[in-house]
C-alpha cells in the first residue's frame, strides 16, 4: 500500500473533524493523532456513539426535543396545551421541568444558547423555528426557561426582541433559581417556585 | 421509550467527545447537538472516518509513522540507515521529505508539537519513545525536522536538551525554509537545500 493511501484515512478524519463547530485545523489534527494513537475500543466507542445518536434518536420536527419518530411524545400528546410553549436550552432541561408535573403546555428546545465568544450565533439555534411556531397563531404564551446565566439571559433577551411585535405574552421563569446555577441540577421545589412565579417580560 | 432512554445516546456521545484532547464539557455539548441536528450522512461520515483510521492504519511501533502492519514500510526496509533518525512532527512532513529522495535514514514521527497554550505537553507526543531509540545505542545522528515555527522550534529545543548527554550528534534542517511556513507545502528545491544544509545544534 502506498504512503499516500495510508495517510488517506487520517486526512479524511481531519477533514470530517474540521466540519464540527469550534474545531479548527489545529484541533482537528490533534484529535486525529489522538485517535490514531488511542486504544482501539476507545476510538470505536466514539464512532459508535455518533452512529447511535443518528440511529436511535432524532430531533422532533416541531419542538426539537429528542424523539424516536417525527414528533416527540409531548408534541403527539393531545392533552397538552399547544398554546403554551416552554422554551428551554436543551433536552435535559425539559426533563427537569417535566418532572415537576406542572407544565401543561409544550416545549421548544433551542439546542444551546447564544455565545458569541464560542462562535454560537442565533442562527445556530432553533430560534427561527420558534418564531415560525409563534407566528402560526395558535400560541397564547411563550415561557422562557433558559438557564439563569449570562448566555441564557442573552438568549432570552434576543428571543424577547424577536417576539416583541407578535402580540403574544412572553414570560420567563421567576428568579427562584440561583443565578449561575443550572436548571438540570435544580431541585424540585426550586423549579416549582420558579415556574409558579413566572412573570411577564 | 422513556425520556431518559432517549437522552441516553446523546449523553453517551457527549461523554465520548469530552475524552478528546481540547474538548471540554461545553464543546462536547455543542458538537453533540450539532450532530443530532446534522444531516444523517454527514454525521455517519465522521463515524466512518474514525473507524477507518482504526481499521486501515496504525502507528508504526518503532517510529509512529502510519503503517498497515507492526512496522511501517520504511522501518521494515533493510536498506535504510537505522543510524540516522529524521524527527518530524507528522506523517505528512515525512512524505514531503521522502519525496526529495535524499533521506537514507529512518524517521521518528512526534504526532504534533509542544504547544502549552493548546494544552499539548511533551508527554502527549512520542518524545519518550525517541529518547529510548537513541539510548538503544544504534543511532549516529538525530536530524530535527520540526516545522520552522514557534511550536516547532520549542519542540526541537526540548528534544535537544533531552538528548544533550547522550553523545549523539543532533542536527537540524538548515533555514532554507521560510520561517512561519509549513514543511508540507514547501517545494522540492527548498526542502533539498534545507536537508543538505543541516547543521549541528
Amino acid at each position: 500500500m502506498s504512503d499516500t493511501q495510508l495517510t488517506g484515512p487520517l486526512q479524511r478524519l481531519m477533514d470530517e473533524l474540521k466540519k464540527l463547530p469550534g474545531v479548527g485545523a489545529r484541533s482537528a489534527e490533534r484529535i486525529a493523532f489522538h485517535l490514531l494513537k488511542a486504544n482501539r475500543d476507545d476510538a470505536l466507542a466514539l464512532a459508535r456513539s455518533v452512529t447511535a445518536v443518528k440511529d436511535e434518536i432524532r430531533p422532533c420536527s416541531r419542538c426539537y426535543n429528542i424523539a424516536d419518530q417525527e414528533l416527540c411524545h409531548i408534541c403527539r400528546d393531545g392533552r397538552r396545551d399547544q398554546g403554551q410553549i416552554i422554551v428551554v436550552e436543551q433536552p435535559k432541561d425539559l426533563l427537569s421541568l417535566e418532572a415537576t408535573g406542572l407544565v401543561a403546555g409544550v416545549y421548544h428546545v433551542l439546542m444551546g444558547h447564544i455565545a458569541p465568544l464560542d462562535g454560537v450565533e442565533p442562527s445556530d439555534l432553533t430560534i427561527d423555528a420558534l418564531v415560525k411556531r409563534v407566528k402560526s397563531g395558535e400560541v397564547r404564551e411563550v415561557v422562557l426557561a433558559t438557564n439563569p446565566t449570562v448566555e441564557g439571559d442573552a438568549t432570552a433577551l434576543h428571543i424577547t426582541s424577536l417576539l416583541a411585535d407578535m402580540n403574544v405574552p412572553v414570560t420567563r421563569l421567576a428568579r427562584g433559581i440561583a443565578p449561575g446555577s443550572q436548571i438540570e441540577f435544580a431541585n424540585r421545589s426550586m423549579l416549582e417556585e420558579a415556574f409558579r412565579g413566572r412573570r411577564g417580560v
Side-chain angles (χ1 to χ4, degrees), chain A:
Chain A
M1 204 182 274
S2 81
D3 290 356
T4 317
Q5 275 176 305
L6 283 174
T7 53
L10 196 66
Q11 189 56 51
R12 278 193 296 278
L13 175 57
M14 287 181 197
D15 292 343
E16 291 300 330
L17 289 168
K18 262 187 282 185
K19 294 179 191 166
L20 299 176
V23 178
R26 280 165 160 238
S27 318
E29 203 171 277
R30 197 171 152 209
I31 294 172
F33 285 145
H34 168 87
L35 290 169
L36 176 61
K37 283 187 287 180
N39 176 304
R40 185 182 158 83
D41 286 344
D42 290 346
L44 294 189
L46 171 64
R48 270 193 302 267
S49 65
V50 172
T51 308
V53 158
K54 300 313 285 185
D55 283 349
E56 295 168 25
I57 60 176
R58 59 188 207 178
C60 168
S61 66
R62 188 179 296 163
C63 79
Y64 292 89
N65 182 22
I66 293 170
D68 55 0
Q69 43 185 291
E70 178 75 16
L71 291 178
C72 73
H73 74 285
I74 296 175
C75 286
R76 288 200 308 270
D77 185 345
R79 292 161 303 181
R80 303 296 291 234
D81 177 2
Q82 301 285 338
Q84 184 187 50
I85 298 182
I86 324 296
V87 179
V88 295
E89 293 183 20
Q90 50 173 334
K92 283 189 287 188
D93 300 334
L94 180 156
L95 289 184
S96 297
L97 285 164
E98 273 297 278
T100 68
L102 285 170
V103 178
V106 291
Y107 292 89
H108 192 86
V109 181
L110 296 171
M111 300 265 199
H113 50 229
I114 300 171
L117 291 180
D118 293 332
V120 185
E121 305 292 336
S123 58
D124 295 320
L125 307 178
T126 65
I127 295 176
D128 288 351
L130 172 64
V131 171
K132 259 188 212 157
R133 284 178 78 182
V134 177
K135 268 189 187 154
S136 77
E138 259 192 75
V139 181
R140 282 175 295 95
E141 181 186 5
V142 173
V143 183
L144 299 176
T146 53
N147 279 306
T149 57
V150 174
E151 294 89 354
D153 285 348
T155 308
L157 198 66
H158 179 77
I159 294 173
T160 304
S161 71
L162 289 177
L163 300 181
D165 301 333
M166 290 191 202
N167 227 0
V168 171
V170 178
T171 59
R172 65 191 297 178
L173 296 188
R175 285 306 171 105
I177 316 172
S181 66
Q182 305 281 322
I183 286 182
E184 63 175 298
F185 303 122
N187 63 31
R188 191 191 148 97
S189 63
M190 210 190 276
L191 285 172
E192 283 182 0
E193 278 189 313
F195 189 75
R196 289 213 168 88
R198 65 186 191 275
R199 290 190 302 247
V201 179

